[in-house]
Structure formats: structure tokens, C-alpha cells
Amino acid sequence: MRPATEPLKTQKVYLLLRDKIVTGELKAGARLPSELALADQYNVSRVTVRLALDLLSREDLVEKRVGSGTYVRGSTFAQPVTADLSNAFAHLIEMGRSTAVRLISFEYIEAPEKIAEALDLEDDERVQKSVRVRSFDDVPFSYLTAYVPERIGREYSRDDLAHMALLELMERAGLRAETAWQEVGAVLANPEVAEALGIGVGSPLISMIRVVRGKGERGMEYLHALYRPDRYSLQMNLVRKGSEGSRHWSPTSEGFRSDTATGSRATKTKRVKDK
Amino acid sequence: MRPATEPLKTQKVYLLLRDKIVTGELKAGARLPSELALADQYNVSRVTVRLALDLLSREDLVEKRVGSGTYVRGSTFAQPVTADLSNAFAHLIEMGRSTAVRLISFEYIEAPEKIAEALDLEDDERVQKSVRVRSFDDVPFSYLTAYVPERIGREYSRDDLAHMALLELMERAGLRAETAWQEVGAVLANPEVAEALGIGVGSPLISMIRVVRGKGERGMEYLHALYRPDRYSLQMNLVRKGSEGSRHWSPTSEGFRSDTATGSRATKTKRVKDK
């Protein structure tokens, strides 16, 4: 005997409407059908429609006007913050300035198995675990959980980490990062991360694991980064390589930042940035 | 006057428990606290707990045993399919074999504004829009929406697209892809995509936009790809470049596939593959 699955229906209606707004099928300023009409259309209860509209409203995608109905909000979504931010970001990097960091936790713990394995730790070697949230213009965009072997972690303090980039701290200690491997995926925001990033629980996040190695391939850092996709994106230029039958895309670090306001399309690259 | 937001609570409990399972805090085989205990712990109703457990059960993360309780399932999650698949994938690519494609739709339409802009289309130039789902071992992993200028699209048929990779079809017509720009983000699965990929509505997906250009920078393809993160991931090797003060990560196409069974960590790269 299954209970009624209204939460799933709410999510479904929410996503269907969200899709129409994001793709522009429902344009900014458009009035949504009435709750009753939507309930009828999606074959759900009015309460379910109202909950879905609430979710959209929380994301500033729609606006409820008393006595008038629900309207699609201005072009906050149509003009992705991402592109603008990337531009500003690239600029910031060039300026040598930095984003703001909030250190949420800092501790030495027994290394979780997968971390120990990825960093090739000695038996019983402990790790420094830190959690940081990075913001840009006071809006948080990344939630970073970093694991560093204790011998390296002892080279800097909790306070250092609240003020300088991790790799810079390592370099200050004479330890140079040389290579890294990374894997990008997607996850849902859990309540802890959602709160830290100022988004709704269950929002989609870019997930990145990066394993950084120094001299002799020694593991220096295991980073698990979560990014708000509306504030951050991974961009890259590729070139087509290889001969007939084995052609493939190969990433290139080259690329240039466009100086035009609309240059967010295909004319620039954001370099993979320090955490 | 806000309605009760139980759907949000369900999602919250679901994500909190999911997190504990995924991180290993709740190990395979462990018995979850009773519904009553969980309801008390998270300050929600028993119905909400039951719905959250239903969602976990749908994902095969927990198993309800009649009269006994709810248990964390075996290590389906702890051993990510991703890594294994990537291995198998790299192998497939080397073998020159291909994954299976299902063509969902194929039509010529008026170009949406952002597509026209990205591909530098002439005024009124139409586009071929196709939707394909790719599977590996009968499990779908990507949902691909491609836009191609009509003049290029006419070089191949609907049937061709159901059997050959898009870039190969273009190359057959003498059109060579040369560069691309791509942007990676994360989104929630809408009902249509969820059904096509065999996942729950609202599941997280990797989202990728890729704009492919040929000779003279002419736009050839605008691809919007959605990937199931449990079946696909973007992996990359990086090297640290630049001098003091301007160091940054730069992607490299180099990398090798490990032949060891546990070589999924930091020793191989999956080349960015044709769609």
C-alpha cells in the first residue's frame, strides 16, 4: 500500500513549468494559466500546483500578484549570470584579486578509505579536512571540501586557510602542485550544502573531484567541489585532432576573453581556476 | 497563507538519508531507525518519512523488509558505475565500436534565437533539430538535442542519424569540424528527459552545451547534452602552468588508461568523445 506521492507530482509540475520558463516558451512577463487550469492540465490537485508555484517563486522565476495571478519574472534567468560571472571572473583572475572565502570547518581526521587510496597515504596517515565556501559579490558559488595529508597540512594554520588559496599556501611551503586529475558530475544539494550556498534543498549542483599531485606523483590534495550552476560553469575550448577514423576532441588551454558585452558565446575560455 | 510544505520536507529527509548512505556513514546492510524514530529525529510526519524512504527505495539505495525494517542496500552505490563505465567506454572507443542510439525526434524548425546567434546563422536560416538517446549495455546515459543549420542537415537523412555519429555524417559530406567551445553545468531531469533516461523526475544531470565550428569558424552544430552522472562523467588530466603569481591549471589531452581493475582513480583520462 503506497501512500499518495504528491511530492513527486509537485516536483514534476515544478520542473515542467521551470523548463518552459528557462527555454523561453513562457516569456518574461507572461501570465501563467490559473491554478485551476494548471491542476486540470497536469492532472494534479490545486495544492500541488500551488506548491510547485511556490518553488518557482522561491527561485524568483515567477511572481505572484495578489488578485491578478502568477507572472513569469523579468529576464533574470534568460540572461545567465554564469556568463557574466565568468567574464568578471576572468577579469578578477587577471587583476590578481580574489573571491571571498568563509572557512566552515577545519580538523584533522582519520583518512576515509577512498581519500587514503587516491592520495596514496601511508597506513594510519591522517588528513586535514577543511570545508570552505567561496563567494563572489557576496553570493556564494562553491562549497569546497578539501583533504590534505597531515604532513602538508601542518605547514599552514586554520587562519591561513581562511585567507589564502590552498595551493598558494602549499607553494609558500615549497610544495609545488604539478598535475591533477579531475572528474565532473552532478548531484543534488543536501540541506547542509544548500544552506551554505543559499539555495533550495535538492537544487542541482556541479560536482567535481580533483586529485592534485606534486613531485614524484605524490598526492597533495583531494578536493570535492560543489558549484552552483547559476553562478559558475566550466568552460573550455576544444580542437579536433587525430586522423580519419580516430578523430576526437582535445582540450586546449588557449582561448581569449572577449571584451564585448555579448562575448559569452564561443569566444572565450575560463581557465580552470585554483580552489 | 502558505500551504504546508511537506514536499520540501520529504526531499530534505530523502537527501539527508541519501547523503549518509552515499558517504558511507550508513553502511551497506545497516538497519535504518524506525519510521517513528526518523520522524521524531527530523521533526516531520511519518508519512513524510515513508515518502522519503520510498524515493530511496526507488533508487535501490534501501530495501524495505516486511516486518523487519528498512536496510541499506549492498554496495551498488559505493562502487560507482561511473568509473567502471569509463573504463569500459575507453575500451569501446579503442575497439572502434559504438554505443546504441535511439532517435527520438527529427525535424526542421525556425532557429531559436540563442541557437541562431551561437551558430551565426543568416536571417531566416532554419535548423535541423534532432533528439537522440544514447545507451551503453542497454542502459541510457545521454540525452542529446542537436541543432544543425539546414544547409548542412540536408546532407544526411533521418535514418543516417539513427545509425551514425553526427560529426561522422558531416565529415562524410566533406565538412570537417575544427574547433568547439563547451560549457558544463548541472540541471534537474524534467519528466520527458527522466523517462527517456530511465531515471526519476528531478534527478541531477550533467548538462553540456557545445558549439562546434568548421572552416572559417562557421557554426556547424549546437549540441545540448544531458548525462546521467551515475553512468557518465567528464574526466580530465591537468598540468600546472605559468610562473609565480599567475599559476593555473591547464587541461591536457594526454593521459592513459590503466589496465588495473582499480585504475579508476587518477591515472587515466577519458577523451572528450563524439556525440
Side-chain angles (χ1 to χ4, degrees), chain A residues 53 56-57 60-65 69-74:
Chain A
L53 293 178
L56 292 170
S57 169
D60 280 339
L61 290 174
V62 302
E63 181 186 9
K64 292 188 181 182
R65 295 185 198 151
T70 304
Y71 293 80
V72 177
R73 295 264 293 186

Side-chain angles (χ1 to χ4, degrees), chain A residues 11 19 117 171 178 180-184 190 233-234 236 238 240 247 250 253 265 268 274, chain B residues 11 19 117 171 176 178 180-184 190 233-234 236 238 240 247 250 253 265 268 274:
Chain A
Q11 205 175 28
D19 226 45
E117 209 181 294
E171 286 182 356
E178 298 195 342
W181 168 88
Q182 72 184 28
E183 181 170 37
V184 175
N190 70 30
S233 69
L234 293 161
M236 192 181 306
L238 307 168
R240 194 88 176 142
R247 285 216 184 84
S250 177
S253 60
R265 259 186 305 121
K268 63 182 169 44
D274 277 357
Chain B
Q11 205 175 28
D19 224 46
E117 208 181 295
E171 287 182 356
R176 175 87 54 91
E178 298 194 342
W181 167 88
Q182 71 183 27
E183 181 170 37
V184 175
N190 69 30
S233 68
L234 291 162
M236 192 181 307
L238 307 168
R240 194 86 176 144
R247 285 216 184 85
S250 177
S253 60
R265 260 186 305 120
K268 65 183 167 43
D274 276 359

Side-chain angles (χ1 to χ4, degrees), chain B residues 214-239:
Chain B
K215 206 175 246 174
E217 295 272 295
R218 286 205 80 178
M220 292 175 67
E221 180 194 4
Y222 181 104
L223 175 71
H224 184 199
L226 296 170
Y227 299 104
R228 275 179 61 169
D230 61 334
R231 305 295 294 173
Y232 188 90
S233 68
L234 291 162
Q235 298 181 23
M236 192 181 307
N237 286 320
L238 307 168
V239 287

Side-chain angles (χ1 to χ4, degrees), chain A residues 143-157:
Chain A
Y143 185 95
L144 310 167
T145 307
Y147 300 86
V148 171
E150 177 159 19
R151 72 193 125 84
I152 297 178
R154 295 290 180 198
E155 299 283 349
Y156 53 85
S157 69

Side-chain angles (χ1 to χ4, degrees), chain A residues 235-253:
Chain A
Q235 297 181 25
M236 192 181 306
N237 286 320
L238 307 168
V239 287
R240 194 88 176 142
K241 286 195 174 163
S243 53
E244 198 90 26
S246 69
R247 285 216 184 84
H248 58 271
W249 289 114
S250 177
T252 159
S253 60

